């Protein structure tokens, strides 16, 4: 898929400035508290499966998907506005800021994510911020959001690799952002759950769409 990320970033930047969005000292857009979702969702569901939700008014649409799918959404930002307005809100956009990439690429992808969020917020869509960052150089991206916001977490999953590293980043983000509550979409390893409970961090788990669909299929087929 052909996509010019720099052109999209430039257009978003100009649009946000023209519509009163400020950028902080770290170069990230400042998301006004009025844009942040305050109510708890009953369901979190990926954009590609959005029409399978139970109640749009109680459903948050998430974007924890492969970058190729997110590129499609970047090409249809304006078209998606009316669709997303039907839902309770959306999670923060999630272009990958993978730890193995150079820090400038990580920061650039996070910047696009945050500008997409602000663009949607300007169009009346409530935001559930994404708790994902890249390496420690991107920690300040969480400064885009008001203190004590609720956050969406793509997964604190079942992988046995890099547990100590992931726990380090989790602690760092919690200390920096001081979230009110985490809404976790997908798996939560016992190590991370124990830490959240020990430090009194409120969280709520949401079964990912694939797992929920499989469970439903098994029930319907007596498996």
């Amino acid at each position: 898929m052909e996509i010019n990320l720099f052109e999209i970033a430039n257009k978003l930047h100009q649009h946000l400035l023209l519509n009163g969005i400020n950028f902080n000292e770290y170069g990230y857009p400042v998301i006004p508290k009025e844009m942040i979702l305050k109510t708890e969702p009953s369901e979190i569901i990926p954009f590609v499966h959005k029409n399978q939700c139970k109640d749009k008014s109680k459903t948050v649409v998430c974007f924890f998907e492969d970058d190729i799918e997110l590129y499609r959404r970047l090409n249809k930002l304006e078209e998606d506005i009316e669709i997303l307005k039907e839902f309770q809100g959306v999670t923060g956009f999630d272009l990958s800021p993978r730890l193995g990439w150079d820090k400038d690429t990580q920061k650039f992808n996070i910047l696009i994510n945050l500008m997409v969020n602000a663009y949607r917020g300007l169009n009346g869509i409530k935001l559930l911020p994404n708790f994902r960052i890249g390496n420690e150089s991107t920690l300040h991206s969480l400064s885009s959001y008001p203190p004590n916001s609720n956050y969406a977490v793509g997964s604190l999953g079942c992988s046995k690799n890099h547990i100590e590293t992931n726990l380090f980043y989790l602690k760092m983000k919690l200390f920096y952002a001081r979230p009110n509550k985490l809404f976790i979409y997908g798996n939560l390893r016992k190590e991370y759950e124990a830490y959240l409970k020990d430090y009194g961090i409120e969280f709520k788990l949401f079964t990912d769409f694939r797992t929920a669909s499989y469970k439903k299929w098994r029930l319907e087929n007596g498996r």
Side-chain angles (χ1 to χ4, degrees), residues 120-179:
R120 288 174 170 170
L122 284 171
N123 283 278
I125 296 166
K126 293 296 183 181
L127 307 170
L128 184 59
N130 187 357
F131 208 46
R132 185 181 184 186
I133 64 168
N135 63 24
E136 58 270 22
S137 71
T138 68
L139 178 63
H140 294 301
S141 62
L142 295 175
S143 67
S144 281
Y145 302 112
N148 306 121
S149 294
N150 295 328
Y151 284 85
V153 181
S155 182
L156 291 175
C158 55
S159 173
K160 295 181 181 180
N161 298 322
H162 312 299
I163 291 176
E164 289 302 318
T165 298
N166 292 337
L167 189 56
F168 166 76
Y169 279 104
L170 174 61
K171 293 176 180 178
M172 183 173 60
K173 291 188 291 183
L174 291 172
F175 180 79
Y176 187 88
R178 304 288 182 179

